[in-house]
Amino acid sequence: MQWLTIYKKEMLEYWRNFSWVWVPVVFILLAIMDPLTTYYMPIILDKVGGLPDGAVIELPQMAATDVLMMSLSEFSSIGVIIIVAITMGIIAGERKSGVVELVLVKPVRYANYISSKWAAKLTLILVSYTIALLTSWYYVSILFEEIALLAFVQTLSFYALWLILVVTITIFYNTLLKTPGLVGALSVGTIIGMTAINAIFSHKLTWFPNNLSSYIRQLLHTGEIPTALWGTSFVTISLIVALLFLSFYTFQKKELA
Amino acid sequence: MDLIQLLAPIIILELILAIVGVIAWFKTENTNGPRWLWLLIIIFITILGPILFFIIGRRQ
């Protein structure tokens, strides 16, 4: 019940500060930008290109699955930054302003406080992401060719794991530090660091979370779930759960100290 | 097939973002930095302006 109260309070706040409007809109923009510009590239070049007369540009024919992957890669870059930016103050900001003392003076369990905030933020982000990817799927289907529903749902769900991990990393730094800006910088730094580690040791770390999107690309091409994708998902989920419990622990220690 | 078809959905979403940004701006009393400047940013910098306002413009 306590958990639900905090969750509902967060939801109310997202309505009041317009998060429920602007986050979905920005995500949709991110997701449809690439399918639209890829499809209309010849027209765009024609209208604004200033090409010499008679210039012929052969643009490669893009496969529908590649275009859907372009939407996902927008989420991996700009999407991740937006997610970190809207999550970095969720607990750190309340600790800085003293709101957290007002909440925790009541018999609220630390784990409830953190997990309800985590769940609320995930609801906002995953709902927006689902709407955005559905829009992208729709555009890809009418502009390029259709992608099977099953493949789309699998892509949607497996990639969601990556976004959940990003939120959980940010929440973890929230329980460690009180300055939202620092939380954001460290979260983005960690994600960039993970990408670097993955780039160097990719042949050894086949189940590293950063490999999710490359396995999703395979899934879209072959239509079958690669076995490595299950392993990577398992590692990612374990990492999410471990980080969440670690957050409970560090928060408790920081607040009691 | 014309450029307008490419632009229509993006323009509509941009407009929604700007309008919601202005409404949020009206409701915000304390902004980080000059309040009038944020209004200009929201209206004149497409997409990025409202996002910046929502993320760093408002003081809790």
Side-chain angles (χ1 to χ4, degrees):
Chain A
M1 280 303 101
Q2 192 178 63
W3 190 92
L4 219 62
T5 312
I6 303 176
Y7 181 84
K8 279 183 186 160
K9 178 225 145 213
E10 283 294 306
M11 282 298 150
L12 188 66
E13 198 159 322
Y14 296 156
W15 280 112
R16 287 197 179 142
N17 65 19
F18 300 99
S19 292
W20 271 123
V21 183
W22 77 266
V23 178
V25 169
V26 170
F27 278 15
I28 292 171
L29 274 172
L30 269 184
I32 66 171
M33 209 68 106
D34 276 335
L36 283 177
T37 46
T38 310
Y39 182 78
Y40 286 101
M41 192 50 89
I43 301 177
I44 296 172
L45 282 179
D46 197 39
K47 292 256 157 92
V48 298
L51 295 168
D53 279 340
V56 179
I57 297 180
E58 284 289 328
L59 292 168
Q61 189 66 41
M62 299 292 284
T65 50
D66 288 333
V67 183
L68 192 65
M69 281 311 291
M70 284 168 120
S71 294
L72 280 191
S73 66
E74 291 289 335
F75 277 101
S76 301
S77 49
I78 304 170
V80 164
I81 291 172
I82 291 173
I83 290 171
V84 169
I86 60 176
T87 317
M88 66 188 185
I90 187 169
I91 295 164
E94 290 200 347
R95 285 166 79 186
K96 208 177 179 185
S97 61
V99 174
V100 73
E101 272 89 359
L102 293 177
V103 175
L104 294 176
V105 80
K106 300 180 182 73
V108 173
R109 290 186 56 205
Y110 295 110
N112 279 347
Y113 177 73
I114 292 173
S115 61
S116 55
K117 275 183 169 276
W118 174 79
K121 194 55 95 182
L122 275 184
T123 313
L124 171 69
I125 287 168
L126 291 182
V127 168
S128 310
Y129 154 78
T130 308
I131 297 170
L133 217 58
L134 276 170
T135 326
S136 166
W137 184 46
Y138 171 74
Y139 272 105
V140 170
S141 301
I142 52 172
L143 296 179
F144 296 87
E145 54 194 81
E146 283 196 24
I147 294 174
L149 177 68
L150 181 66
F152 172 74
V153 172
Q154 285 167 342
T155 307
L156 183 81
S157 344
F158 280 114
Y159 192 77
L161 290 176
W162 173 247
L163 298 185
I164 299 173
L165 182 67
V166 170
V167 173
T168 317
I169 290 173
T170 317
I171 295 265
F172 169 68
Y173 281 118
N174 259 293
T175 61
L176 217 57
L177 303 157
K178 278 189 187 176
T179 322
L182 205 58
V183 171
L186 275 172
S187 309
V188 172
T190 307
I191 292 158
I192 293 173
M194 282 168 69
T195 315
I197 292 172
N198 188 50
I200 299 167
F201 301 107
S202 57
H203 54 293
K204 292 257 173 61
L205 303 169
T206 43
W207 288 3
F208 206 61
N210 290 57
N211 288 326
L212 273 174
S213 39
S214 58
Y215 293 138
I216 290 172
R217 187 186 295 271
Q218 262 181 47
L219 183 158
L220 278 172
H221 275 297
T222 59
E224 280 168 39
I225 300 175
T227 34
L229 186 53
W230 289 114
T232 314
S233 308
F234 174 74
V235 170
T236 312
I237 292 170
S238 318
L239 212 58
I240 290 166
V241 174
L243 269 176
L244 204 55
F245 276 96
L246 202 62
S247 309
F248 298 162
Y249 176 74
T250 50
F251 187 65
Q252 195 159 14
K253 249 184 123 182
K254 289 270 170 184
E255 283 305 317
L256 291 177
Chain B
M1 291 295 175
D2 206 36
L3 209 57
I4 198 72
Q5 279 172 301
L6 156 70
L7 294 177
I10 296 176
I11 288 174
I12 291 168
L13 290 171
E14 262 178 25
L15 270 179
I16 295 174
L17 210 56
I19 291 167
V20 176
V22 171
I23 296 172
W25 178 83
F26 265 110
K27 290 191 170 184
T28 313
E29 279 162 16
N30 294 317
T31 53
N32 282 324
R35 196 161 175 268
W36 59 271
L37 188 65
W38 275 114
L39 185 62
L40 296 184
I41 292 175
I42 294 168
I43 295 175
F44 290 110
I45 305 177
T46 47
I47 304 182
L48 210 59
I51 298 177
L52 278 178
F53 176 70
F54 282 121
I55 292 176
I56 56 170
R58 295 175 293 182
R59 198 173 291 170
Q60 300 287 317

